[in-house]
Amino acid sequence: MEKQSNKYFEWLNGLYDVSALITTIGENQRNPIPNILYMLSKPINQKLLEIENYLIKKYKSNFGTTSGVVLDVGVGCGMIAGEFAKYGYTVHGVDVDTFSLIASTIYIRYMLQKPYLVLMGDVNDENVMLPIGLYDAISCTSTLEHLKNDRDVLKKLHLALRDDGFGIISIPLDEDITPEPPREIETLGRKYKVYPHIRSYTRENFLKMMDDVGFTILEEHIVTGSGGDIDRRMYKVLVMVCRKKLIG
């Protein structure tokens, strides 16, 4: 328990309010705020957003949660995290990109006026551990296809989710992948590798991986459009609601 306790506090101490970044953008950097506001005014995939809003509302009621804490891995501009926030959740957003953390903060803290904390980090890093059983809900949308170790990340999310919580996960389906090298970004003095889509999923192989990790799928939807990437490429997106398998 001591080891878990230390990891728990280490994680929470890493969470912070990124609001200060908005007013401390270096003079030599391009001001990202106009572009952020434009992106927030034009959701990349409105149908996907509507389905995820519906699923959050439905399963929040089904699981009997009136409030709670949600972890959004690969939070991006915060559109999905914002849907959780609208229903009373406190959101912890994780990303490796300053632009994403600023965008999600502008959207959730300032436009929606909801509580929001962020963590600069890469859950794909084997040294990054999530606290066990902290979160009432998890969100990982249009993220796993960018990660080298998708199975390991799912295992971390499984551990971080409460036994009575639920998750919303989305992936691109049957995508034609053109291999591209990762690009390196530097955020707050730390360097990270950002990968394009590096694998193609089929429904069958992804559901098997979810089952192997310990998730039960409660509901599925397939949407045609962009999963959320800024280049707005079009493909099929599988959106699913999951929970931990019940034992006994």
Side-chain angles (χ1 to χ4, degrees), residues 71-73 123 130 135 138-140 144 152-162 169 213 215 244:
L71 174 68
D72 192 323
V73 172
V123 293
L130 305 182
Y135 292 102
I138 56 172
S139 174
C140 185
L144 291 169
D152 290 343
V153 171
L154 284 174
K155 289 178 180 178
K156 292 180 183 182
L157 294 176
H158 184 272
L159 287 172
L161 184 63
R162 291 168 54 98
I169 294 175
V213 168
F215 283 115
K244 288 185 172 183

Side-chain angles (χ1 to χ4, degrees), residues 48-91:
L48 183 62
L49 198 61
E50 290 172 0
I51 286 178
E52 290 177 340
N53 176 289
Y54 157 76
L55 293 174
I56 293 167
K57 182 178 180 180
K58 175 179 177 179
Y59 285 92
K60 176 179 171 17
S61 300
N62 285 2
F63 280 76
T65 55
T66 56
S67 62
V69 184
V70 59
L71 174 68
D72 192 323
V73 172
V75 67
C77 288
M79 302 303 286
I80 305 304
E83 297 305 304
F84 276 98
K86 290 175 185 177
Y87 287 109
Y89 286 92
T90 296
V91 180

Side-chain angles (χ1 to χ4, degrees), residues 32-154:
I33 292 178
N35 191 34
I36 289 171
L37 294 176
Y38 173 78
M39 290 179 65
L40 292 175
S41 71
K42 296 181 179 296
I44 291 175
N45 189 336
Q46 185 63 40
K47 182 62 176 177
L48 183 62
L49 198 61
E50 290 172 0
I51 286 178
E52 290 177 340
N53 176 289
Y54 157 76
L55 293 174
I56 293 167
K57 182 178 180 180
K58 175 179 177 179
Y59 285 92
K60 176 179 171 17
S61 300
N62 285 2
F63 280 76
T65 55
T66 56
S67 62
V69 184
V70 59
L71 174 68
D72 192 323
V73 172
V75 67
C77 288
M79 302 303 286
I80 305 304
E83 297 305 304
F84 276 98
K86 290 175 185 177
Y87 287 109
Y89 286 92
T90 296
V91 180
H92 292 175
V94 182
D95 216 298
V96 299
D97 180 31
T98 306
F99 180 93
S100 294
L101 297 180
I102 293 174
S104 55
T105 295
I106 289 174
Y107 181 54
I108 299 171
R109 288 291 301 275
Y110 293 97
M111 297 174 73
L112 297 183
Q113 295 287 301
K114 300 294 183 181
Y116 180 57
L117 292 173
V118 300
L119 181 74
M120 182 72 64
D122 183 0
V123 293
N124 208 41
D125 186 333
E126 62 182 13
N127 296 313
V128 174
M129 301 300 294
L130 305 182
I132 296 173
L134 176 63
Y135 292 102
D136 300 279
I138 56 172
S139 174
C140 185
T141 59
S142 300
T143 298
L144 291 169
E145 62 272 17
H146 298 277
L147 305 180
K148 289 183 69 176
N149 303 310
D150 54 347
R151 182 182 293 266
D152 290 343
V153 171
L154 284 174

Side-chain angles (χ1 to χ4, degrees), residues 4-49:
Q4 164 59 17
S5 177
N6 289 340
K7 285 293 184 183
Y8 174 85
F9 286 110
E10 179 182 324
W11 174 261
L12 291 184
N13 287 337
L15 292 163
Y16 65 100
D17 183 348
V18 78
S19 304
L21 284 178
I22 297 173
T23 57
T24 58
I25 298 171
E27 293 182 359
N28 296 326
Q29 297 181 15
R30 178 178 61 85
N31 185 344
I33 292 178
N35 191 34
I36 289 171
L37 294 176
Y38 173 78
M39 290 179 65
L40 292 175
S41 71
K42 296 181 179 296
I44 291 175
N45 189 336
Q46 185 63 40
K47 182 62 176 177
L48 183 62
L49 198 61

Side-chain angles (χ1 to χ4, degrees), residues 181-200:
R183 59 187 178 90
E184 192 173 80
I185 64 171
E186 184 170 339
T187 301
L188 299 181
R190 297 184 62 183
K191 292 184 178 180
Y192 299 92
K193 287 186 177 180
V194 178
Y195 291 84
H197 290 198
I198 59 177
R199 70 178 61 80
S200 179

